C-alpha cells in the first residue's frame, strides 16, 4: 500500500495570475491499496463512484499515458484542505491520483513528467506546481511543456489563512473575469510579479505590500467574496500583504506580526489560523 501526502496551495499569490503558487502546510492524505475492484473510503458519498471521483480519474490517466492495463485499488482519503475555498483541494486530488498510480506501477514517470500530466488535467499549473514541488513556485510553458522555478522564502514571513464558511467554485470565479483588459493593467502586474521573488527571499513585507496590487482578477473576484473589501480596509495600515487565495473564497495574509493581524480579524466569524509553508508531495510505501 502506498500513502500520498499532498499540501494545500494558494494560487496566483495576488499578481501571479495562473503562473505563481505557494504551498501551505495544510495536508490531505490518500492511500492506494491494490484490490480486486475499485472502492473508495473517506470520501463524501457522491464522490464514491468512478464517475465522480477525481482521484480515480487522475489515477487512470497515468495508465492511459503508459498504455498499461489499469490496476484496481482501494483509494482512502482523509484531510484538512477545505473544498472549493481557493486552497487547491482539487489539485490535491489530481496530484494524489497520478502519484499513487505511478507508485503502483513502480515509478516509471519522473516528477517533472507527472507535473506536466497534472497540468493537462488541471488546465493550468499554479496549484499543482506548489502541491508537487512545495514552497513558492513560478511556472511557464515552452515547447508544449510546463517548467517550474522555485524561489526562496524568508523564515521571517508568517502566513495567515482566512477561510469563510461558504464555497466559491472556480468556474464561478472565472466567469467573473472580463474578456478584455487594458495594457495598463497588464503592465501593472508584470512590473510587480517580476519583483515578487526578491521580496519573498528578503522577507521585505513593505515591498510585498506594494507589490500585492493586482489588476487582472482580484478587483472582479473580490465582489464575490463577502467582507473582502472590509478585511482589506481593516488591514491596509498594518505591515502585511493580503491576497485572494486562488479564486477564493479564502484569503491569504503575509506578515511578520501575526498578533496585530489576528487582533484585527477576530471580529470576523471565519476560520482564521497561522499556517506554514508546505513541502513537496510525499509518497511512502506502508
Amino acid at each position: 500500500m502506498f500513502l500520498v501526502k499532498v499540501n494545500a496551495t494558494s494560487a496566483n499569490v495576488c499578481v501571479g495570475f495562473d503562473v505563481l503558487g505557494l504551498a501551505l502546510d495544510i495536508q490531505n492524505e490518500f492511500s492506494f491499496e491494490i484490490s480486486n475492484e475499485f472502492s473508495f473510503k473517506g470520501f463524501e458519498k457522491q464522490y464514491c463512484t468512478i464517475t465522480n471521483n477525481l482521484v480515480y480519474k487522475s489515477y487512470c490517466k497515468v495508465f492511459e499515458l503508459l498504455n498499461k492495463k489499469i490496476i484496481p485499488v482501494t483509494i482512502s482519503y482523509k484531510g484538512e484542505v477545505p473544498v472549493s475555498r481557493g486552497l487547491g483541494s482539487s489539485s490535491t486530488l489530481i496530484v494524489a491520483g497520478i502519484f499513487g498510480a505511478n507508485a503502483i506501477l513502480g515509478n516509471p514517470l519522473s516528477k517533472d513528467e507527472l507535473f506536466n500530466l497534472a497540468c493537462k488535467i488541471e488546465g493550468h499549473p499554479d496549484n499543482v506546481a506548489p502541491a508537487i514541488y512545495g514552497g513558492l513556485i513560478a511556472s511557464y510553458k515552452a515547447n508544449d511543456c510546463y517548467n517550474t522555478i522555485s524561489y526562496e522564502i524568508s523564515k521571517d514571513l508568517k502566513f495567515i489563512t482566512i477561510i469563510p464558511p461558504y464555497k466559491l467554485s472556480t468556474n464561478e470565479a472565472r466567469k467573473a473575469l472580463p474578456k478584455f483588459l487594458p495594457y495598463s493593467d497588464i503592465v501593472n502586474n508584470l512590473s510587480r510579479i517580476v519583483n515578487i521573488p526578491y521580496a519573498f527571499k528578503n522577507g521585505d513585507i513593505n515591498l510585498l505590500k506594494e507589490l500585492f496590487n493586482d489588476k487582472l482578477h482580484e478587483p472582479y473576484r473580490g465582489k464575490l467574496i463577502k467582507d473582502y473589501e472590509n478585511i482589506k480596509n481593516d488591514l491596509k495600515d498594518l505591515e502585511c500583504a493580503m491576497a485572494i487565495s486562488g479564486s477564493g473564497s479564502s484569503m491569504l495574509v503575509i506578515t511578520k506580526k501575526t498578533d496585530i493581524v489576528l487582533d484585527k480579524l477576530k471580529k470576523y466569524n471565519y476560520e482564521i489560523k497561522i499556517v506554514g509553508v508546505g513541502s513537496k508531495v510525499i509518497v511512502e510505501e506502508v
Side-chain angles (χ1 to χ4, degrees), residues 23-147:
L24 304 173
D25 65 353
I26 309 170
Q27 195 170 81
N28 282 345
E29 293 186 6
F30 306 82
S31 66
F32 299 80
E33 186 172 10
I34 294 176
S35 179
N36 292 325
E37 61 181 9
F38 279 101
S39 60
F40 307 92
K41 296 180 180 179
F43 296 91
E44 293 181 21
K45 186 176 180 180
Q46 65 265 36
Y47 301 119
C48 288
T49 67
I50 60 174
T51 55
N52 292 330
N53 191 285
L54 186 55
V55 182
Y56 162 82
K57 291 180 179 180
S58 303
Y59 176 91
C60 292
K61 289 291 185 181
V62 174
F63 290 85
E64 293 171 10
L65 178 65
L66 297 172
N67 198 27
K68 298 282 188 179
K69 183 179 179 180
I70 296 173
I71 300 171
V73 290
T74 295
I75 303 173
S76 301
Y77 157 79
K78 63 177 181 178
E80 304 172 341
V81 183
V83 177
S84 296
R85 300 294 204 285
L87 290 167
S89 60
S90 64
S91 291
T92 70
L93 306 179
I94 293 169
V95 170
I98 62 175
F99 273 81
N102 198 51
I104 291 289
L105 287 169
N107 299 306
L109 297 177
S110 69
K111 184 179 289 186
D112 290 346
E113 289 172 321
L114 291 169
F115 165 61
N116 270 273
L117 178 58
C119 290
K120 290 179 181 178
I121 298 171
E122 177 84 326
H124 42 85
D126 52 342
N127 273 313
V128 294
I132 291 172
Y133 298 101
L136 178 67
I137 302 286
S139 303
Y140 67 95
K141 194 173 185 180
N143 300 319
D144 203 34
C145 181
Y146 284 99
N147 301 278

Side-chain angles (χ1 to χ4, degrees), residues 164-176:
Y166 56 87
K167 298 179 180 180
L168 177 59
S169 74
T170 302
N171 287 337
E172 184 182 356
R174 288 269 173 185
K175 289 178 182 178

Side-chain angles (χ1 to χ4, degrees), residues 272-285:
I272 298 169
K273 59 182 179 180
I274 301 171
V275 298
V277 176
S279 64
K280 64 182 180 181
V281 59
I282 297 172
V283 182
E284 301 172 335
E285 187 171 7

Side-chain angles (χ1 to χ4, degrees), residues 89-246:
S89 60
S90 64
S91 291
T92 70
L93 306 179
I94 293 169
V95 170
I98 62 175
F99 273 81
N102 198 51
I104 291 289
L105 287 169
N107 299 306
L109 297 177
S110 69
K111 184 179 289 186
D112 290 346
E113 289 172 321
L114 291 169
F115 165 61
N116 270 273
L117 178 58
C119 290
K120 290 179 181 178
I121 298 171
E122 177 84 326
H124 42 85
D126 52 342
N127 273 313
V128 294
I132 291 172
Y133 298 101
L136 178 67
I137 302 286
S139 303
Y140 67 95
K141 194 173 185 180
N143 300 319
D144 203 34
C145 181
Y146 284 99
N147 301 278
T148 62
I149 299 175
S150 299
Y151 292 106
E152 186 178 342
I153 301 174
S154 169
K155 293 182 179 179
D156 293 334
L157 296 178
K158 311 300 179 184
F159 303 88
I160 300 172
T161 52
I162 306 169
I163 307 173
Y166 56 87
K167 298 179 180 180
L168 177 59
S169 74
T170 302
N171 287 337
E172 184 182 356
R174 288 269 173 185
K175 289 178 182 178
L177 302 180
K179 293 182 179 180
F180 302 98
L181 290 162
Y183 273 107
S184 58
D185 287 350
I186 297 170
V187 171
N188 172 85
N189 275 46
L190 289 173
S191 66
R192 284 166 168 76
I193 191 173
V194 72
N195 292 300
I196 286 283
Y198 176 90
F200 269 94
K201 180 179 180 179
N202 290 281
D204 192 332
I205 197 65
N206 290 317
L207 177 58
L208 271 177
K209 185 173 183 176
E210 290 183 354
L211 298 178
F212 272 37
N213 181 23
D214 173 76
K215 299 292 185 183
L216 302 188
H217 70 109
E218 290 201 352
Y220 312 100
R221 289 173 167 172
K223 297 174 183 177
L224 304 177
I225 302 172
K226 181 183 176 182
D227 290 321
Y228 166 74
E229 289 294 342
N230 292 332
I231 293 172
K232 196 172 181 179
N233 287 331
D234 285 342
L235 300 180
K236 67 179 181 179
D237 294 327
L238 303 184
E239 290 185 11
C240 66
M242 174 189 152
I244 296 173
S245 183

